[in-house]
Amino acid sequence: MQSTVTPTHCPYCALQCGMNLTPAPDGTVEVSERADFPVNRGALCGKGRTSAAVLASNVRLTSPLVRDQGGTLVPASWDEALERIAAGLGRTRAEHGPDAVGVFGGGGLTNEKAYTLGKFARVVLGTSQIDYNGRFCMSSAAAAGIKAFGLDRGLPFPLEDIPKSGCVILVGSNLAETMPPSLRFFTELKENGGTLIVIDPRRTKTAEQADLHLAPRPGTDLALALGLLHLVIAEGRVDEEYVRERTAGWEDARAAAMAHWPEYVERITGVSVPQLRETVRLFCEPESAMVLTARGPEQQSKGTDTVGAWINLCLATGRAGRPLSGYGCLTGQGNGQGGREHGQKADQLPGYRKLDDPAARAHVAEVWGVDPDSLPGPGRSAYELLDALGTDIRSLLLMASNPVVSAPRAAHIEERIRSLDFLAVCDVVLSETAALADVVLPVTQWAEETGTTTNLEGRVLLRRRAVTPPDNIRSDLEVLHELAARLGVEKGFPTDPEEVFEELRRASAGGAADYSGITYRRLAEENGVFWPCPAAVETADGSADAFDDEEAPAVHPGTPRLFLDRFATPDGRARFVPVSHRAIAEEPDDEYPVLLTTGRVVAQYQSGAQTRRVAELNAAAPGPFVELHPRLAARLGAAEGDPVAVVSRRGRAVAPARITNAIRPDTVFMPFHWPGEGRANTLTNPALDPTSRMPEFKACAVRLEAVET
């Protein structure tokens, strides 16, 4: 094991906080502060501080596993495990066609692995059926951003701009628990005289920091944004010059907003008219302001329209594409941004190219050395892919995801996974999904491999290998290389991450997410580079100088701030998209009279597959709970800690009551990190947004039942 200090990045959320790793003589790894990285300046949350615990051999997988004739997963050699996977996938493809084989990836995969997984699906398997769990993260914000701006990047500006703005509206984000090191940007905002407005049905730790907290009924964020835009228009606060010079489509969006008068919006949302007016005043009076959304407004069956309404508010007030202003999305997963830019999303090719664009197909096919016509078309979105398991899709290769816990209508998805002819999983730990597999491959994790990720700012980062993995562990790139060879493709799947990144640069060149001017050397020297960063920049005489690793007279600096000169649309103008309020897919009724919303807690991450194996984190958050208002608890006859059953049309979950005034009386909250009887996603609604195909995690109708003990 190496004994030097290695600067790298946290394996968890999209902040990708900088940290130092130092192997100790006893085999453990010390995590320490790394103050030079501007996103966290050394600060780490509990998950980051304890991240090295998952490297321990008693926590992680240490051998390939195959299912024996008795149905038990038992250790096996790599050759046997890989042969079984190649045979299983190959047999399905031969008997049922390439689209009977599915591939499901994860937002935690590095750019190199996400890129290679997409290439493997389309070149080796020939399947269109690939998507990833990032579809459950910020796909609605991405869809809305592309409609409005012509480009999707989580934040179009660095986090360091937030404290300098005049006002920030934070919609549906509890970053004090989900991204604790980022809270300092908002603390500094207030210290600088700026205003923080938090919109959340719960009074979270983040909402407690706000100057103004609005607590709308879950699923009504769209109406709220439209009501605010109505008031902006009615009070004469529209930036008419900006709208005229930098946007298109205003008249239709204006007409749609004017149908949402304040009293009507108050009835829908529960947010009072005086609060609506105060929000507009606080947002419009400063010279600069921002709107930042997260999963609250995005994980809805109308999430794209909801984000679009918040973008319309920014456009009407002249905020987007101006310094210290604009709309941004707080990406959740560690590489949620880069993970979809380079090909593991159902409809995309590397560089954020569209799979149904002939020019995009031709460019990527040339890099890959294949016929463009051989590339399959767009496939199913994540939930639709999972729902088709065992019927249209007979075999599945899954990497770095745990849909048994994380997918909506999770009991149904678990049934679909169990019905597969063949399931292979690559993971660090034996997750609930991996436990159902026919073959499980133990793969390297963040500290044991080098690769790049792209954080929520669009900053491409270099994660460095700090420790040597155990002898019987291989990387995902090695797995895909071996499987490709066994399935008849001997070349094109290198195992060296830098070699893969060099190919990714070529594949992304000219695309929306252009990484072609980025190299490992630049990432190491510059502490990350913001995309787009093309390999050629226009010189004074109008010619283009190509980026060269050895000699670079015109190196592109990267793009920390987007849209300051023009938007990424053909005419450079942002697009207003007219939207109107509509109800959630499943409103409460007499049988299911309460709304359920879900989210995270500070000590656990996503499906908890890794964090639930860390003793310190489990001590802080040992299990699920149901957060409910005292009035709701009184009607149920439940006391603090009593088991409460939450029942939806899809199933039943049981967890202890946590009684608090910090939640609306018509709403209950459950965190989604745990399997078993407290699995929140047993309850959630898979109703899909028609554009983004995002499921409606954030609002569904439930009833509560007392549980006898």
Side-chain angles (χ1 to χ4, degrees), residues 504-580:
L504 183 157
R505 292 176 64 200
R506 299 195 302 276
S508 73
D514 191 335
Y515 283 32
S516 60
I518 304 174
T519 65
Y520 273 30
R521 175 178 60 78
R522 285 193 67 185
L523 294 178
E525 292 176 355
E526 300 175 33
N527 228 344
V529 178
F530 291 85
W531 73 262
C533 182
V537 295
E538 192 171 289
T539 59
D541 62 2
S543 63
D545 281 348
F547 180 89
D548 184 282
D549 287 355
E550 300 300 325
E551 184 179 352
V555 175
H556 193 287
T559 315
R561 295 169 182 86
L562 297 171
F563 313 138
L564 294 180
D565 299 318
R566 69 189 312 274
F567 294 97
T569 56
D571 61 4
R573 290 173 173 265
R575 302 287 191 265
F576 282 98
V577 178
V579 294
S580 296

Side-chain angles (χ1 to χ4, degrees), residues 465-479:
R465 173 169 162 158
V467 297
T468 302
D471 291 340
N472 209 25
I473 305 298
R474 298 186 186 179
S475 73
D476 293 289
L477 294 179
E478 291 173 311
V479 168

Side-chain angles (χ1 to χ4, degrees), residues 344-403:
Q344 65 171 333
K345 190 165 174 277
D347 58 349
Q348 286 177 194
L349 287 169
Y352 223 139
R353 288 182 159 89
K354 299 297 291 182
L355 189 53
D356 56 5
D357 176 1
R361 293 169 66 87
H363 173 86
V364 173
E366 182 178 7
V367 174
W368 288 351
V370 300
D371 184 340
D373 292 338
S374 71
L375 299 178
R380 292 175 172 88
S381 70
Y383 180 79
E384 293 165 304
L385 189 158
L386 294 170
D387 189 40
L389 298 180
T391 53
D392 293 342
I393 300 173
R394 310 294 291 268
S395 293
L396 181 68
L397 173 64
L398 184 145
M399 284 186 166
S401 187
N402 190 18

